[in-house]
Amino acid sequence: MYVAVKGGEAAIANAHALLADRRRGDRSVPALRLDQIVEQLALGVDRVMSEGSLYDRELAALAIVQARGDMIEAIFLVRAYRTTLPRFGYTNAIDTGAMLVERRVSATYKDLPGGQLLGPTFDYTHRLLDPELAAGGDVAEPLQRPGEAEAMPRVSAILAREGLIEPDGEMPQDHVPGDITREPLEFPMARDIRLQALSRGDEGFLLALGYSTQRGYARNHPFVGEVRIGEVELELDVPELPFTVPLGCVRVTECQMVNQFKGSAKAPPQFTRGYGLVFGQSERKAMAMALCDRALRASEFGEDVVAAAQDEEFVISHSDNVQATGFVEHLKLPHYVDFQAELDLVRRMRAEHDARENAGKAEEKREAAE
């Protein structure tokens, strides 16, 4: 525990007051409402929910306001609040195949059953600042096409019919999924544990690792089999009831990467999978997660582990931005005793160095005089 210097409590109280003042800003400017943040900064809210491991838009918006827009601080606040909540049980695994799809794109097949839906995306914008947004003008309603929803089977299912992709695998009946929020991490990890850690890992860190796999640091040649965004229903099994209880819907982003695999002594040449799933709309995070998931399966396929993205302990141990922030930012807290010890050590070492140097110079002078 760090002990504050004399008068520290008053200084900290004043710092908190100043922080509140800076957070409010100019009093003539209307204060932000949570519904404004939820509706107009939705992608930021989604990131806080995903990496904070708590699906609640208003709480995520509150955290963003309290953190003055610092996303990692907001994630920290949400995680801290999450620890105070009771847990009633675990829902059943969601069925993303039954998702009410808002966006669905594939880089592998042009014509898919159910079609491709562009949805709300920046992909085709020109990345030019729009001055009209500053004026706060009206926005036209989007066009809607009438029609019944079509079935949208996964791209992986299409490849599986030809036997060209690894089996999806069945969860053993006696397998109990792990929970990284209740159990300490142990290496090596089961894939379900690893996916949990990746899902709430830092987007920027996973993006950089995913990028590295495409630049040759894992020999990973991926195709986006499918990215889909939409709402899925949550259901809970209650022992006293003979049916599952629907709890509501959450929006998620799912990505399935399709990767080349030349085969091994145990498996024929085929495509393999990388998987990503996150809260809200965050396809960049889901794609980066899928790239990292496939890279971390190198040992499973008998591939050489030669890159950082393939090192499970390195990736998982450094992907959590709350842990990383705590360890980096603790350096600015008082280390007076440690520093004084190192200061004394450096002074002694410097004195010994100077003594040796002066002795050497004196010896050189004597030799020159002789």
Side-chain angles (χ1 to χ4, degrees), residues 198-316:
L198 290 175
S199 183
R200 72 176 198 165
D202 182 74
E203 179 179 329
F205 179 77
L206 296 184
L207 180 63
L209 286 176
Y211 178 43
S212 75
T213 68
Q214 297 175 269
R215 297 190 64 248
Y217 292 92
R219 295 184 299 175
N220 204 351
H221 192 280
F223 299 91
V224 175
E226 184 175 8
V227 171
R228 58 171 63 192
I229 302 171
E231 292 190 342
V232 293
E233 189 171 49
L234 296 180
E235 295 181 333
L236 178 69
D237 282 328
V238 180
E240 295 80 9
L241 299 176
F243 53 86
T244 57
V245 178
L247 302 179
C249 294
V250 295
R251 178 177 281 108
V252 297
T253 300
E254 180 186 52
C255 175
Q256 294 218 30
M257 288 285 180
V258 176
N259 302 73
Q260 293 178 3
F261 176 57
K262 64 181 181 181
S264 66
K266 297 181 179 179
Q270 59 186 335
F271 290 110
T272 55
R273 306 167 188 258
Y275 187 74
L277 181 76
V278 295
F279 280 152
Q281 179 177 347
S282 184
E283 58 195 77
R284 180 170 55 230
K285 167 74 177 292
M287 291 172 66
M289 177 181 169
L291 289 171
C292 291
D293 172 51
R294 176 57 184 85
L296 290 170
R297 299 180 68 198
S299 299
E300 181 182 336
F301 294 108
E303 299 169 344
D304 294 333
V305 177
V306 296
Q310 297 172 307
D311 187 328
E312 180 182 75
E313 188 166 351
F314 173 82
V315 173
I316 302 302

Side-chain angles (χ1 to χ4, degrees), residues 3-17:
V3 180
V5 295
K6 185 177 180 181
E9 289 187 8
I12 290 172
N14 288 334
H16 288 169

